[in-house]
Amino acid sequence: MRNCGKNAKKVACVGILVADVIVEPVKNYPEKGVLELVNSITMHNGGNAMTAAINLRKLGVESSMVGMVGDDMFGEFLTGRLAKAGIDTSGVKVSDKVQTSASVLMIDKTGERSFFHCKGTNAVLTSADIDYDAVDKCDMVFVTGSFLMDSFDGVETMEFLKRCKEMGKTTFLDVCWDATGKWGDLLNMSMPYIDYFMPSIDEAVCIAKKEDPEEIADEFVKNGVKNVIIKIGSKGSYLRKEGETTGKMFKPFFVENPVDTTGAGDSFCSGFLAAYANGMELEDCMVFANAVGSHCVTAKGATSGTKTFEETLDFIKNQNK
């Protein structure tokens, strides 16, 4: 494996930013008019794209955020966190008409979560809001949050990715759960312009309408995806490389007593992007991604548990002894 260096590629993270209000531990949901005590209520940055941008900086890779927030307290909080992390925010547009996207996450004693979500500005972002100068400064483009960007999903995502390929960028895409049930109807048109597709197994099943990772990968490749990566939770992850007919599973790193599963999948993607940006082989990128994902669940919030690039490499080395 290669250590993180100054020659690492820069990543544009395009998609959703979310203010996460985390409540824990939630033992019972109170009836109307009843107060239930919890240990803490805290606010954190969230949203797939913002999580990736911050994690990448923590891993030593330059990142640029491209998306939209509202002119409100949540928006100020998120842009402040981005600036503090040293992320290029020239691609973040501020709307005075729509509130910033926000979620209330309720964490039970096992670390599992349920949540309420307001799409807010993420739902009104369009291709006209994209700052292509911010995109052009980057080598890699990660679109993440698909199915929660009502105006950008579908044709606009396809046209954006096509333009990115014409600009010579390497493209990566991850999705969220599609509560509308449209799935492939929105995404399949974009697949010819996706170099690395990175859904979870549950999302992949719904998009491909297949159950087995190999059959899912077959479907995605048939629709034009170059490389397929599937996050399979406690079972690890799967990679089908371009030009190959079968894939490979990568085992996860065990975490005892996880604190919070928020952002684990996003952290996996961040790890893969960071490793790729540093020129690592795809198999090593998968191992590194699993390690970053495992660190995420050791702390509250989507980015708090992320270690440095070197610390992650040391963790992998020690685990493999």
Side-chain angles (χ1 to χ4, degrees):
M1 291 186 177
R2 176 181 170 181
N3 286 328
C4 183
K6 294 181 179 179
N7 295 324
K9 297 176 180 178
K10 185 175 180 180
V11 184
C13 298
V14 182
I16 66 173
L17 307 86
V18 182
D20 285 336
V21 178
I22 298 181
V23 184
E24 67 173 328
V26 176
K27 300 177 182 177
N28 301 295
Y29 290 93
E31 298 179 4
K32 292 181 180 180
V34 176
L35 182 146
E36 184 78 26
L37 294 177
V38 296
N39 291 343
S40 68
I41 301 176
T42 54
M43 182 150 62
H44 302 264
N45 51 268
N48 307 46
M50 183 168 180
T51 295
I54 291 178
N55 278 338
L56 284 165
R57 289 300 297 131
K58 294 183 76 170
L59 289 163
V61 176
E62 287 190 68
S63 62
S64 177
M65 181 69 226
V66 179
M68 183 185 290
V69 297
D71 185 14
D72 52 33
M73 179 184 68
F74 285 151
E76 291 176 3
F77 171 74
L78 295 178
T79 54
R81 292 299 292 266
L82 287 166
K84 184 177 180 180
I87 294 163
D88 180 357
T89 59
S90 61
V92 179
K93 184 171 182 179
V94 180
S95 171
D96 60 2
K97 298 179 180 179
V98 183
Q99 79 153 80
T100 302
S101 174
S103 292
V104 177
L105 293 87
M106 293 155 289
I107 313 297
D108 68 19
K109 62 182 180 180
T110 69
E112 290 298 324
R113 59 181 180 159
S114 56
F115 51 91
F116 296 103
H117 178 71
C118 173
K119 291 182 180 179
T121 44
N122 293 329
V124 300
L125 177 75
T126 69
S127 57
D129 299 310
I130 300 295
D131 183 342
Y132 281 94
D133 288 337
V135 173
D136 195 40
K137 289 185 288 186
C138 299
D139 308 283
M140 300 158 56
V141 177
F142 180 39
V143 176
T144 178
S146 294
F147 303 144
L148 287 180
M149 297 185 286
D150 294 356
S151 300
F152 191 67
D153 286 336
V155 173
E156 292 208 5
T157 297
M158 180 269 290
E159 292 176 345
F160 171 72
L161 288 168
K162 181 179 179 182
R163 182 167 175 178
C164 287
K165 292 306 301 175
E166 291 169 349
M167 295 167 68
K169 311 303 178 184
T170 304
T171 57
F172 304 76
L173 188 139
D174 189 15
V175 302
C176 293
W177 186 260
D178 183 9
T180 71
K182 295 179 181 178
W183 297 106
D185 292 340
L186 285 177
L187 191 63
N188 288 348
M189 67 183 79
S190 294
M191 291 191 180
Y193 309 106
I194 301 173
D195 292 316
Y196 293 86
F197 185 34
M198 314 171 77
S200 72
I201 184 62
D202 293 334
E203 295 156 347
V205 166
C206 291
I207 296 166
K209 297 180 173 57
K210 305 288 184 181
E211 297 285 339
D212 179 73
E214 292 288 5
E215 293 181 352
I216 290 170
D218 287 341
E219 193 69 18
F220 292 158
V221 170
K222 183 178 70 176
N223 286 330
V225 171
K226 306 299 185 298
N227 300 272
V228 177
I229 296 166
I230 303 174
K231 295 163 288 187
I232 315 183
S234 62
K235 295 182 179 179
S237 54
Y238 166 95
L239 168 68
R240 169 81 70 86
K241 294 167 63 174
E242 182 177 7
E244 298 187 356
T245 56
T246 58
K248 180 180 178 181
M249 288 291 300
F250 292 80
K251 64 181 182 180
F253 293 96
F254 176 74
V255 176
E256 188 173 1
N257 300 320
V259 174
D260 179 11
T261 59
T262 303
D266 300 333
S267 293
F268 171 94
C269 292
S270 305
F272 185 91
L273 291 164
Y276 187 94
N278 279 280
M280 292 168 64
E281 296 295 330
L282 293 186
E283 290 81 0
D284 290 335
C285 289
M286 295 293 290
V287 174
F288 192 88
N290 279 344
V292 175
S294 71
H295 284 147
C296 174
V297 305
T298 64
K300 188 190 305 181
T303 60
S304 302
T306 303
K307 309 296 184 184
T308 67
F309 197 93
E310 291 76 13
E311 287 171 337
T312 306
L313 287 177
D314 288 342
F315 169 80
I316 294 169
K317 182 178 179 180
N318 291 333
Q319 291 291 311
N320 290 334
K321 284 182 178 179

